[in-house]
Amino acid sequence: MKQIKNISTKDYIAEAIRNEILAGRMEAGEELTQEALAEMLGVSRMPVREALQTLVLEGFVERLPNRHMQVVALNHLQIKETFQ
């Protein structure tokens, strides 16, 4: 029998947002709000906040003044590294 992969909510959310960015459905410069993402995904704000922190560390999202977040413009090298 195949093992079930255990993934935390924040990791699932980070993966969903990352996939939206890489697919171009979230564009560079687009502002991301915890409230809007939480409502869209049907989750509370806490795992969204944690997922956004992960994406900041990975370079997909940048933190702006006043606790705002926005999608970073990825170059070809960053996209290539992501898929390797």
Side-chain angles (χ1 to χ4, degrees):
M1 190 180 295
K2 187 177 179 181
Q3 280 189 329
I4 296 172
K5 186 177 178 183
N6 188 10
I7 183 168
S8 69
T9 303
K10 82 165 181 75
D11 292 335
Y12 174 80
I13 294 168
E15 184 176 332
I17 295 170
R18 188 181 308 110
N19 289 339
E20 291 294 303
I21 293 169
L22 291 172
R25 290 184 289 269
M26 289 184 173
E27 297 181 4
E30 182 176 335
E31 189 171 323
L32 304 176
T33 63
Q34 294 175 21
E35 295 81 9
L37 290 169
E39 185 176 321
M40 181 175 62
L41 296 168
V43 298
S44 67
R45 287 180 34 214
M46 183 59 77
V48 172
R49 182 181 306 131
E50 293 171 351
L52 289 172
Q53 290 171 351
T54 297
L55 294 170
V56 167
L57 293 174
E58 293 176 354
F60 286 95
V61 174
E62 68 179 336
R63 187 178 313 274
L64 301 173
N66 299 324
R67 300 187 331 192
H68 292 256
M69 303 273 193
Q70 79 176 22
V71 176
V72 172
L74 299 175
N75 63 39
H76 294 293
L77 180 61
Q78 290 170 305
I79 294 170
K80 183 179 177 181
E81 288 174 355
T82 300
F83 286 105
Q84 286 183 338

